[in-house]
Amino acid sequence: MRRIILAATAGALLLTASACGTSSDTDAAAPATTTAAAVASPSADYTADTKKVCDDMGELLGGKKMEQFGAKLGEFIGYTQAKASSPAKKARTAAGKELKELATSLTKLTGAAQDPGLQAAGEETLKLINKSAEDEAFFAKFKTVDDVSKKLEPEVTAWLAPLDKFCA
């Protein structure tokens, strides 16, 4: 998980600098083959699938979606430093939107996992990221590009904490 966090933070930092339900609900929503496999084999081995999902999350967090968030965060910082409040507000809104899109993409990956625990952890991560995306105090932490390297990693660590058990 540390590798994923570092990749996500590094991706956002680079672009910021350049830019200056219940279990029955889950079972009912899951494909019949997944449910049947879980019932037929309560101690199913999800290792290979979990590794693939975790690798895919690493690629997502080090890829284009995180880059887009980093770019918008960088715009927000630049406008804030320039005391351009209207463009800063627009950039902050855009950064929040990019962050929510990142969270949605991450949840699509975990939602397709065979392990119901990983699916649930993905939903919890979605809630944490979306909370930050809507939180003015989260964005207020980023006043300079240096703040990204200092303050984003702890945030990403907190967002991904529910997934630690699966993607350590």
Side-chain angles (χ1 to χ4, degrees):
M1 183 57 72
R2 181 90 174 137
R3 179 176 53 97
I4 292 173
I5 292 169
L6 291 175
T9 304
L13 177 60
L14 289 173
L15 284 159
T16 301
S18 70
C20 281
T22 67
S23 63
S24 62
D25 291 341
T26 302
D27 290 343
T33 56
T34 304
T35 304
V39 172
S41 178
S43 61
D45 184 5
Y46 303 119
T47 306
D49 180 68
T50 297
K51 181 181 180 336
K52 181 185 179 324
V53 170
C54 291
D55 289 347
D56 290 348
M57 283 191 305
E59 287 180 29
L60 173 71
L61 293 170
K64 185 177 179 181
K65 295 251 185 231
M66 185 57 95
E67 290 174 5
Q68 291 168 329
F69 166 65
K72 294 300 179 185
L73 183 60
E75 287 178 22
F76 167 73
I77 291 169
Y79 287 129
T80 300
Q81 288 176 334
K83 307 241 186 283
S85 61
S86 181
K89 186 174 182 172
K90 288 178 184 173
R92 183 259 172 261
T93 300
K97 180 180 178 240
E98 293 296 339
L99 192 54
K100 284 183 173 187
E101 288 177 12
L102 174 79
T104 299
S105 295
L106 188 101
T107 305
K108 285 180 184 174
L109 291 174
T110 59
Q114 293 173 354
D115 187 337
L118 180 52
Q119 292 174 1
E123 287 295 325
E124 183 61 27
T125 297
L126 172 73
K127 290 175 189 173
L128 293 170
I129 295 173
N130 282 343
K131 181 178 176 185
S132 291
E134 297 171 358
D135 186 7
E136 294 298 327
F138 167 75
F139 286 97
K141 294 175 186 180
F142 304 105
K143 294 177 178 40
T144 68
V145 172
D146 289 340
D147 289 339
V148 176
S149 63
K150 295 174 194 168
K151 298 179 180 177
L152 186 58
E153 185 175 340
E155 294 290 336
V156 173
T157 300
W159 297 337
L160 300 178
L163 297 167
D164 279 348
K165 175 181 171 185
F166 304 95
C167 302

